[in-house]
């Protein structure tokens, strides 16, 4: 309902600027904020007003921006602005792409990521209820430095002046232009056609369309946004960091209100794509990234980063790193475990201290508790892998898989040289270097047999003491006195 009422003919998203203050070879718009690029956040807001046409104006590093758009918004149209001759010029470029479109056109920026679709819908609502030709989103800022100022006569907007073109009285105005507007398409087109670069930067200013509309007797209004973060643009990495902290604070607060216990919100980082069930506990230093999901009752942290990980109900993950892994219900991971892509741990399974896993399916109730490398492995339910076991999966050229059946037991410090298969209920003696298969129920011993030599120590000591006694003096060198060593 709301969506349909506030849908617009087009959104124009300006994203051609150079973003030099980021000092980056990556387009500013591709820098991430809580798990999504600045541009995808901006696109998310644009989608909030269900535009029939979505036009992104690209220019600086446009190949990067276009490639990213193909991934995150394949339906978006692009308009190329070859030289960055100002915001008015940028919108002119966009209008060529959507020639003939009538109705309402929203203009917004690619580098204002905290703006929400809900706020744009409110802007549309204010605009339509007032019957405006142009509505500007404004903010009242204690420090308005750098922004265009809103000029009013009484309550009526008369224009926008840029900081660099403003006189002292205008600079004192605290109502600023957010750069987000909604225009009637025809008036926007006419206004753009009239623009002249008569300003300090010799650019075509979109802000002058506001003055144009006022001048020609069209109704111009403002929508004042009180959440200053929603209109804040990102220009450098210090601003990006401050905004990351603010957005994270909001995300973390949101999860707490959904029933997640977060011990220390200041050191807990949760990206936008994460989902968390009720009664999950997050200890300090927990970082949840990508499409991670945590089921109810799980306890994560301290000092744990999970990226695209699925954690089952009641599981515990302590001081660990995991990427593209699935951790089963009531399973235990950590401390100090490293789960690489393709790891799946079954219900009540365990991956313990100093264990690295990769492409490893570890069954229900199976345990890899200590000091193990477990790569390219399939381990059956109930099996125990002893401390220090190495799954030797790589021969320098190819990688091979090791399979271990159910309820098997691999003794400590074994090396399983893949490909190798260990059957159900089989045993591998500690210290084995296994190169062949072990059938169900068999014991494999693949190491030198223990030999005890009676009396050896006494003989050895007598021998070495005799050696020392025979040495005349240390200065003559012990290495030369071999005469007493008759054996
Ligand atoms: C602009 C507004 C100012 C407002 C401020 C809010 C104008 C003349 N001024 O100023 O009133 O307070 O935004 O942040 O509009 N862009 C292009 N092509 C261009 C120039 C800019 O695509 O040729 C894009 C940029 O990538 C950016 C946005 O437009 O996303 C704003 O450009 P920017 O140079 O930051 O505008 P300001 O000078 O800050
Ligand atoms: Ca700016």
């Amino acid at each position: 309902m709301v969506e349909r009422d506030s849908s617009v003919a087009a959104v124009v998203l300006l994203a051609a600027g150079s973003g030099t203050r980021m000092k980056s070879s990556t387009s500013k718009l591709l820098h991430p904020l809580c798990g999504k690029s600045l541009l995808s956040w901006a696109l998310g807001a644009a989608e909030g007003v269900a535009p029939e046409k979505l036009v992104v104006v690209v220019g600086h590093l446009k190949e990067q921006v276009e490639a990213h758009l193909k991934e995150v918004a394949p339906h978006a149209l692009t308009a190329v602005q070859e030289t960055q001759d100002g915001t008015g010029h940028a919108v002119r470029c966009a209008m060529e792409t959507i020639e003939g479109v009538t109705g309402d056109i929203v203009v917004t920026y690619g580098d204002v990521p905290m703006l929400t679709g809900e706020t744009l819908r409110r802007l549309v609502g204010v605009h339509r209820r007032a019957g405006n030709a142009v509505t500007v989103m404004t903010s009242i800022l204690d420090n308005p430095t750098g922004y265009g100022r809103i000029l009013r006569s009484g309550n009526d907007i008369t224009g926008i002046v840029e900081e660099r073109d403003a006189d002292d009285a205008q600079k004192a105005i605290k109502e600023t232009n957010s750069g987000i507007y909604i225009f009637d398409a025809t008036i926007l087109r006419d206004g753009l056609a009239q623009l002249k670069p008569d300003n300090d930067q010799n650019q075509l200013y979109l802000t002058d369309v506001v003055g144009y509309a006022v001048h020609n007797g069209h109704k111009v209004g403002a929508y004042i946004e009180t959440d200053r973060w929603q209109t804040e643009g990102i220009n450098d990495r210090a601003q990006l960091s401050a905004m990351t902290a603010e957005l994270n604070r909001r995300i973390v607060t949101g999860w707490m209100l959904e029933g997640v216990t977060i011990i220390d919100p200041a050191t807990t980082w949760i990206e936008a794509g994460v989902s968390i069930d009720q009664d999950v506990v997050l200890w300090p230093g927990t970082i949840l990234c990508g499409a991670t999901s945590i089921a109810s009752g799980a306890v994560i942290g301290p000092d744990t980063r999970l990226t695209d990980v699925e954690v089952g109900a009641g599981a515990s993950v302590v001081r660990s790193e995991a990427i593209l892994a699935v951790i089963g219900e009531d399973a235990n991971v950590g401390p100090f475990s490293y789960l690489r892509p393709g790891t799946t741990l079954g219900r009540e399974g365990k991956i313990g201290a100093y264990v690295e896993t990769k492409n490893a399916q570890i069954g229900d109730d199976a345990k890899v508790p200590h000091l193990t490398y477990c790569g390219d492995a399939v381990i059956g339910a109930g099996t125990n892998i002893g401390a220090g076991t190495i799954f030797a999966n790589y021969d320098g050229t190819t990688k091979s898989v090791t399979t271990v059946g159910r309820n098997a037991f691999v003794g400590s410090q074994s090396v399983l040289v893949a490909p190798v298969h260990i059957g159900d209920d089989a045993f591998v003696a500690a210290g084995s270097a296994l190169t062949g298969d072990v059938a169900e129920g068999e014991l494999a011993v693949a190491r030198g047999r223990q030999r005890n030599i009676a009396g050896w120590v006494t003989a050895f000591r007598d021998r070495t003491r005799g050696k020392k006694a025979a040495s005349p003096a240390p200065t003559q060198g012990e290495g030369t006195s071999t005469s007493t060593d008759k054996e």
Side-chain angles (χ1 to χ4, degrees):
M1 269 287 279
V2 181
E3 295 276 338
R4 254 186 60 194
D5 287 347
S6 55
S7 82
V8 297
V11 172
V12 172
L13 212 146
L14 304 188
S18 60
T20 40
R21 280 172 285 171
M22 285 302 273
K23 303 201 173 155
S24 177
S25 57
T26 300
S27 161
K28 172 169 83 176
L29 301 164
L30 271 55
H31 280 256
L33 169 69
C34 299
K36 281 163 62 174
S37 67
L38 299 186
L39 185 58
S40 17
W41 283 107
L43 289 161
E47 302 291 1
V49 289
E52 277 163 44
K53 300 267 160 80
L54 171 58
V55 189
V56 181
V57 181
V58 298
H60 184 73
L61 295 173
K62 71 171 193 297
E63 293 76 15
Q64 283 184 17
V65 178
E66 281 170 341
H68 184 58
L69 273 172
K70 277 211 181 77
E71 272 176 43
V72 299
H75 54 284
L77 305 168
T78 54
V80 178
Q81 185 191 24
E82 295 294 351
T83 54
Q84 277 73 69
D85 295 330
T87 48
H89 180 252
V91 177
R92 266 193 195 169
C93 296
M95 295 305 278
E96 286 168 20
T97 309
I98 50 169
E99 229 172 323
V101 163
T102 57
D104 289 327
I105 298 188
V106 168
V107 176
T108 177
Y109 294 164
D111 59 359
V112 179
M114 280 182 68
L115 178 72
T116 65
E118 200 185 336
T119 299
L120 279 186
R121 287 195 289 276
R122 273 196 223 112
L123 174 72
V124 173
V126 166
H127 178 77
R128 290 186 181 159
R129 277 193 298 277
N132 289 340
V134 182
T135 308
V136 187
M137 191 183 294
T138 69
S139 303
I140 314 285
L141 300 180
D142 287 340
N143 177 10
T145 311
Y147 288 96
R149 307 296 205 284
I150 303 298
L151 306 178
R152 288 183 187 257
S153 161
N155 217 20
D156 297 338
I157 292 183
T158 57
I160 301 174
V161 63
E162 290 306 291
E163 162 117 354
R164 58 209 308 159
D165 302 311
D167 60 33
D168 286 347
Q170 290 169 332
K171 278 184 191 155
I173 297 169
K174 292 195 184 314
E175 187 178 10
T176 60
N177 172 27
S178 69
I180 299 156
Y181 324 75
I182 178 165
F183 296 94
D184 171 77
T186 308
I187 293 162
L188 175 59
R189 234 179 243 111
D190 293 348
L192 289 170
Q194 308 288 318
L195 292 182
K196 301 225 160 43
D198 48 6
N199 50 60
D200 187 57
Q201 294 192 98
N202 289 311
Q203 288 188 342
L204 298 178
Y205 283 175
L206 180 59
T207 46
D208 289 347
V209 174
V210 173
Y212 162 87
V214 171
H215 218 81
N216 288 274
H218 301 295
K219 199 167 175 213
V220 175
Y223 164 79
I224 303 175
E225 176 52 53
T226 51
D227 176 4
R228 71 168 185 94
W229 289 99
Q230 289 211 39
T231 56
E232 184 131 325
I234 295 296
N235 297 304
D236 59 40
R237 299 190 204 224
Q239 286 174 316
L240 180 59
S241 159
M243 187 176 283
T244 302
E246 174 60 19
L247 185 53
N248 184 67
R249 195 187 63 73
R250 293 180 186 201
I251 292 172
V252 165
T253 303
W255 285 119
M256 290 192 285
L257 298 179
E258 289 294 320
V260 177
T261 295
I262 296 180
I263 308 292
D264 182 14
T267 62
T268 302
W269 299 86
I270 304 175
E271 289 187 350
V274 170
S275 69
I276 314 176
D277 287 353
Q278 277 185 19
D279 294 317
V280 162
V281 177
L282 305 182
W283 284 91
T286 293
I287 305 170
L288 304 178
C289 303
T292 291
S293 66
I294 317 279
S296 75
V299 180
I300 313 294
D303 301 325
T304 293
R305 179 165 65 176
L306 307 179
T307 305
D308 299 322
V309 172
E310 193 184 315
V311 180
S316 145
V317 186
V318 182
R319 286 188 208 282
S320 291
E321 173 93 33
I323 304 153
L324 279 166
V326 178
I327 296 166
E329 273 180 44
D330 298 315
N332 283 288
V333 172
F336 309 108
S337 307
Y338 180 24
L339 278 57
R340 292 166 51 201
T343 298
T344 63
L345 176 62
R347 162 195 276 262
E348 290 183 53
K350 181 179 177 67
I351 295 175
Y354 306 103
V355 172
E356 175 180 343
T357 61
K358 184 220 73 172
N359 187 29
Q361 294 167 36
I362 301 167
D364 292 350
D365 205 33
K367 296 183 168 51
V368 188
H370 335 269
L371 301 157
T372 287
Y373 174 65
C374 179
D376 298 312
V378 179
I379 299 171
T383 286
N384 187 86
I385 305 295
T389 298
I390 303 296
F391 288 67
N393 59 330
Y394 186 50
D395 63 9
T397 322
T398 49
K399 293 197 172 145
S400 307
V401 174
T402 296
T403 55
V404 185
R406 301 164 68 91
N407 300 314
F409 181 93
V410 174
S412 298
Q413 191 77 6
S414 292
V415 181
L416 312 178
V417 183
V420 81
H421 172 71
I422 299 167
D424 292 347
D425 300 300
F427 258 63
V428 174
S432 288
L434 214 67
T435 52
D437 293 352
V438 186
E440 182 174 347
E442 282 183 347
L443 165 69
V445 186
R447 53 161 145 85
R449 184 180 279 276
Q450 181 170 333
R451 197 160 59 104
N452 294 1
I453 303 169
W456 185 89
V457 175
T458 315
F460 173 73
R461 285 186 182 152
D462 287 350
R463 208 158 64 225
T464 48
R465 272 192 212 110
K467 210 182 208 177
K468 272 189 190 139
S471 305
T475 47
Q476 298 205 350
E478 283 178 301
T480 57
S481 57
T482 55
S483 58
T484 56
D485 187 0
K486 291 190 177 73
E487 286 154 288

